Amino acid sequence: MTTDKRILRTQNALHAALEELAVNHDYGDITVTKLTKLAGINRKTFYLHYNSIDDLVDTYADQVAVQLAKIIRRQTFKTVYHHPGILIDELVDFLRVHSAAVQRILFSDDYSRFAKRIERALTKTLAETIRESYPMTSQDAAITAYFLVHNTLSLYGYFTNVAADSNHFDREQFKRYVSRLNLTGLSSFFKE
């Protein structure tokens, strides 16, 4: 990772341009010309930093995954398990800061390749934290992590779509549903 301020400034400008374009454009409609114009750089500079738009979006997705992984690592999984929803506030806050672009990348079919990249990274991180808290096989930890990450992101996508229709995201309700589904599964919805 570089510390050269010019390189960081250029990469940040391109990431900001990507975020802005991703909100209103399908992935196939984003061009190097649109990115560089919005970032205030020339095409040659773009290609000094990235081989393609795919490369730029992969790097962006990796940065999103790193930030979300930091949130996951702040608590042991044992703490998270015993205090359901403890990570949800930080997750929601992060997604809100980058809301429109990250939501589009995570939940739009057009960007699904990049969403899967983020989901794989989060699953790996969560599986590691699960194994640090509980003795289990790598496979069991990976399956558990995949289930938790996939459910949480799917529910967030659902709740933000509902919120878009009503102009209100109910964080507490989201936390309750994530905790309920992740800890007790479908059985909590069925009355016998």
Side-chain angles (χ1 to χ4, degrees), residues 47-72:
Y47 287 109
L48 286 173
H49 296 273
Y50 301 101
N51 296 323
S52 64
I53 294 173
D54 283 350
D55 187 26
L56 169 65
V57 181
D58 280 343
T59 302
Y60 180 82
D62 290 344
Q63 286 185 347
V64 169
V66 165
Q67 293 303 313
L68 293 172
K70 285 179 183 176
I71 293 169
I72 290 170

Side-chain angles (χ1 to χ4, degrees), residues 86-102:
I86 195 168
L87 296 180
I88 299 300
D89 285 325
E90 285 187 77
L91 170 69
V92 170
D93 289 343
F94 175 83
L95 292 173
R96 289 263 167 111
V97 167
H98 301 283
S99 67
V102 172

Side-chain angles (χ1 to χ4, degrees), residues 173-191:
Q173 185 181 37
F174 171 65
K175 285 168 54 172
R176 283 192 305 275
Y177 271 98
V178 167
S179 298
R180 185 173 168 192
L181 277 172
N182 284 347
L183 294 177
T184 60
L186 294 176
S187 64
S188 70
F189 287 87
F190 301 127
K191 296 184 185 196

